[in-house]
């Protein structure tokens, strides 16, 4: 990613440590229970305060007002024992079924393009923005919901779903279609862009 992209999406990194974030935050005056409620830390069986995100590229999740309400973290090296992506848990201010990653950064581009591209992951959104498609958003590790569709249709009359080309991506497209159908009208347009099975939107745009 370019420096411009990193600044635009406020990308960061969490140290590969069990406690450096929690210790730093408490020294800065944050209450331990508050850190647990936000999902940034958790307590083990002994009651120790531990960091939830460790050794990951960090993707802040903004609401439509631009406030950070959660985080996604991606590991740097492939590890079969570790989940590739980790999201903030549900909190009073963050619900995966009501938010879309990249919508805050992409609202103007969506209006200018007259459509929004819906993809599966943070990396897809950030990479597409850098490669000339700043009108992309992503669901947050959950199926597309009716709430998501309503949010999208308030921004534009044309929605293009482009999930990964594998079987899981096809299933995600099916669920998105089911969420869209009850909300359709003559002035709205929903499209599905299916990629070759070996590609996701990020890899396809890089290749072609």
């Amino acid at each position: 990613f370019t420096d411009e992209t990193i600044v635009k999406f406020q990308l960061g990194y969490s140290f590969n440590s069990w406690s450096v974030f929690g210790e730093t935050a408490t020294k800065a005056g944050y209450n331990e229970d508050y850190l647990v409620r936000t999902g940034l830390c958790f307590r083990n069986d002994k009651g120790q305060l531990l960091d939830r995100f460790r050794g990951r590229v960090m993707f802040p999740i903004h609401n439509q007002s631009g406030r950070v309400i959660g985080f996604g973290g991606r590991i740097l090296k492939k590890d079969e024992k570790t989940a590739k992506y980790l999201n903030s848990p549900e909190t009073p201010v963050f619900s995966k079924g009501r938010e879309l990653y990249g919508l805050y950064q992409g609202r103007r581009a969506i209006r200018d393009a007259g459509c929004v591209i819906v993809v599966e992951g943070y990396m897809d959104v950030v990479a597409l923005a850098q490669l000339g498609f700043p009108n992309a958003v992503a669901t947050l590790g959950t199926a597309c919901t009716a709430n998501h569709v309503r949010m999208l249709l308030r921004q534009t009359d044309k929605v293009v779903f482009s999930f990964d080309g594998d079987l899981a991506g096809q299933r995600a497209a099916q669920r998105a279609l089911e969420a869209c159908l009850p909300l359709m009208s003559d002035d709205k347009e929903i499209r599905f862009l299916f990629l070759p099975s070996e590609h996701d939107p990020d890899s396809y745009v890089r290749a072609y």
Side-chain angles (χ1 to χ4, degrees):
F1 295 139
T2 64
D3 289 347
E4 181 183 3
T5 297
I6 291 170
V7 170
K8 177 179 179 179
F9 288 94
Q10 298 181 338
L11 305 184
Y13 177 73
S14 56
F15 290 105
N16 194 16
S17 163
W18 284 97
S19 61
V20 68
F21 171 76
E23 290 174 357
T24 303
T26 51
K27 287 178 182 177
Y30 288 95
N31 180 276
E32 289 190 3
D33 291 337
Y34 176 77
L35 296 174
V36 173
R37 289 203 309 275
T38 62
L40 292 167
C41 295
F42 67 98
R43 295 188 187 279
N44 64 8
D45 294 339
K46 298 179 180 179
Q48 295 172 303
L49 188 73
L50 301 177
D51 299 347
R52 181 178 298 276
F53 296 97
R54 301 178 303 279
R56 292 174 181 268
V57 176
M58 297 296 292
F59 298 81
I61 300 164
H62 300 77
N63 64 14
Q64 292 189 66
S65 300
R67 301 189 70 170
V68 176
I69 56 172
F71 290 89
R74 185 190 191 280
I75 57 173
L76 289 173
K77 296 181 180 180
K78 189 174 182 180
D79 182 353
E80 294 181 358
K81 297 180 181 179
T82 306
K84 186 175 180 180
Y85 285 98
L86 179 65
N87 292 320
S88 289
E90 300 274 317
T91 69
V93 297
F94 174 59
S95 171
K96 290 182 284 188
R98 295 201 305 263
E99 305 295 340
L100 289 161
Y101 179 73
L103 183 58
Y104 170 69
Q105 292 89 343
R107 284 182 301 177
R108 181 174 296 178
I110 291 167
R111 289 195 295 269
D112 291 345
C115 75
V116 60
I117 304 169
V118 185
V119 295
E120 287 188 70
Y122 308 109
M123 290 286 285
D124 289 324
V125 171
V126 179
L128 287 176
Q130 182 166 299
L131 293 166
F133 296 88
N135 55 322
V137 301
T139 54
L140 294 161
T142 186
C144 183
T145 67
N147 283 329
H148 290 144
V149 177
R150 290 189 190 96
M151 289 174 67
L152 293 167
L153 293 177
R154 283 197 291 267
Q155 303 293 325
T156 180
D157 293 333
K158 183 176 180 180
V159 180
V160 180
F161 290 94
S162 182
F163 297 140
D164 295 359
D166 57 14
L167 186 58
Q170 294 173 27
R171 292 196 188 107
Q174 175 69 32
R175 290 192 291 270
L177 176 61
E178 292 167 357
C180 288
L181 285 176
L183 301 171
M184 289 304 297
S185 60
D186 289 344
D187 60 336
K188 306 296 183 183
E189 184 176 335
I190 305 292
R191 291 178 177 264
F192 289 85
L193 175 60
F194 292 100
L195 301 176
S197 59
E198 69 274 16
H199 278 293
D200 58 30
D202 175 15
S203 67
Y204 190 86
V205 171
R206 290 181 190 277
Y208 300 105

